[in-house]
Amino acid sequence: MARPSIFSNQYDRQVRRRKRRKKIIIFLVCCLGVYLAVKVYLGVNFNEVSFKKIAAKLEKEQTQKEDSNKKTSKSVNKTTKGNSKVKPNKNASKDQAVNVKLADGKQVIVTYNTEGKTKKIKAVNLNGVDGEYNISPSAQNLIIYEKTGQNMYYVDSNGNISDITYKTYTSTNGSAFSKDNIIQTNQNYIWCASPKFIDDNTIVYISQLPWFDNRTDKYIWRTTISDKGYANTNLHGNDVKINNVTDKGIEIVTDGTTQYMKADGTTTN
């Protein structure tokens, strides 16, 4: 399209006409673009299309899209609800407090921690009992020592309690001596004291047995849970202490001399 000459007396008119033609061409190009878009996107013959049909098809596609979104949302909700029902962890750690009754009716509170199939003693509350306690190396068993009556109690991993006190001592000549009678006669007499585990089956404690006279020596006695046997190890002294378990055995100090005892009763320096 030739440009109008500025020297022509029709210049203004030609310019207006030229602009009008440009607008018409642009409009036609836009219409063509709309036509092609509708034909390709909707897959219909433009000659048969009306604005109502286009609107109906667009509305149908929008409805289908919304229905699809709703189904997806329901599926996600079901999955979320299903996942919210978490199965309990059988190996989860949990604590359980057990009241253990002594022979005199007093109760000690033992707290166990269970993780999977493993059950261990976590804490002990003597609950007013005048005594002391010692936990085995595996933390599954417990000794409770009651000072007034000089009694020893063994508690297992299930809270079952048994009195393991050496009640009667029989001398080599066959004479029998009752614990209760001896400590009633002499309140300062040490029948048993400071019991501690060497291992889960073996316990050592301090006693003045086998003598009932004025001797001040104290002996290390040893007992086993499995056969309930008692034996004097003949480790003795005026000042006797039972300390902690080490790799060499349980540490025992007699009059300043340190020795280590194994579960079988053998000792090393």
Side-chain angles (χ1 to χ4, degrees):
M1 184 169 52
R3 290 187 176 186
S5 174
I6 60 175
F7 300 103
S8 173
N9 56 1
Q10 300 291 327
Y11 176 78
D12 292 335
R13 185 178 178 183
Q14 290 176 353
V15 169
R16 287 194 299 271
R17 186 181 296 172
R18 189 170 183 270
K19 288 181 178 180
R20 190 164 51 249
R21 288 178 180 174
K22 282 184 177 181
K23 289 180 180 179
I24 292 172
I25 292 172
I26 292 171
F27 175 76
L28 292 174
V29 169
C30 291
C31 290
L32 181 61
V34 171
Y35 167 78
L36 294 175
V38 170
K39 185 172 183 180
V40 172
Y41 179 73
L42 299 177
V44 296
N45 189 336
F46 189 76
N47 294 329
E48 299 173 354
V49 173
S50 66
F51 287 108
K52 289 184 178 180
K53 290 183 178 180
I54 294 173
K57 186 155 188 174
L58 290 174
E59 184 178 358
K60 183 178 180 182
E61 289 185 356
Q62 183 65 25
T63 302
Q64 290 175 345
K65 186 176 181 181
E66 290 176 357
D67 291 342
S68 177
N69 290 339
K70 286 180 180 178
K71 289 180 181 179
T72 302
S73 177
K74 288 181 179 179
S75 177
V76 171
N77 289 337
K78 287 181 180 179
T79 303
T80 304
K81 289 180 180 178
N83 291 337
S84 65
K85 297 178 181 178
V86 180
K87 293 182 179 179
N89 185 0
K90 294 182 180 179
N91 294 321
S93 176
K94 60 181 179 180
D95 293 346
Q96 179 186 12
V98 177
N99 291 330
V100 176
K101 186 180 289 187
L102 307 185
D104 58 3
K106 293 181 180 179
Q107 292 187 343
V108 173
I109 302 171
V110 183
T111 302
Y112 294 90
N113 176 262
T114 303
E115 188 170 355
K117 295 182 179 180
T118 304
K119 191 174 185 179
K120 293 185 177 182
I121 296 169
K122 183 178 181 179
V124 179
N125 181 359
L126 291 178
N127 200 27
V129 173
D130 181 18
E132 57 192 53
Y133 66 88
N134 183 250
I135 300 173
S136 69
S138 71
Q140 294 183 324
N141 305 308
L142 171 73
I143 305 169
I144 298 172
Y145 173 65
E146 185 266 310
K147 290 182 179 179
T148 304
Q150 297 191 42
N151 296 307
M152 294 189 299
Y153 299 94
Y154 172 79
V155 184
D156 66 17
S157 60
N158 295 314
N160 300 314
I161 185 170
S162 55
D163 189 340
I164 59 169
T165 309
Y166 191 25
K167 299 288 187 180
T168 303
Y169 170 74
T170 303
S171 66
T172 53
N173 63 10
S175 299
F177 299 87
S178 165
K179 171 186 74 74
D180 291 340
N181 290 337
I182 293 296
I183 62 177
Q184 284 177 5
T185 303
N186 182 2
Q187 294 182 353
N188 294 321
Y189 188 84
I190 300 174
W191 185 275
C192 66
S194 303
K196 289 188 177 180
F197 284 99
I198 297 180
D199 60 17
D200 282 71
N201 185 55
T202 311
I203 298 166
V204 289
Y205 62 93
I206 298 171
S207 176
Q208 286 182 276
L209 290 173
W211 307 110
F212 300 101
D213 52 23
N214 294 325
R215 301 182 205 198
T216 57
D217 268 15
K218 302 170 191 68
Y219 292 79
I220 299 295
W221 279 67
R222 172 177 160 270
T223 181
T224 52
I225 302 300
S226 57
D227 59 14
K228 298 180 181 180
Y230 297 84
N232 184 358
T233 67
N234 287 318
L235 283 180
H236 64 94
N238 287 316
D239 183 19
V240 178
K241 294 178 182 178
I242 301 174
N243 295 326
N244 296 325
V245 175
T246 70
D247 293 338
K248 297 170 68 175
I250 194 164
E251 184 180 274
I252 298 173
V253 181
T254 56
D255 293 336
T257 300
T258 300
Q259 297 182 73
Y260 299 91
M261 181 179 290
K262 297 287 188 181
D264 61 3
T266 58
T267 59
T268 57
N269 295 327

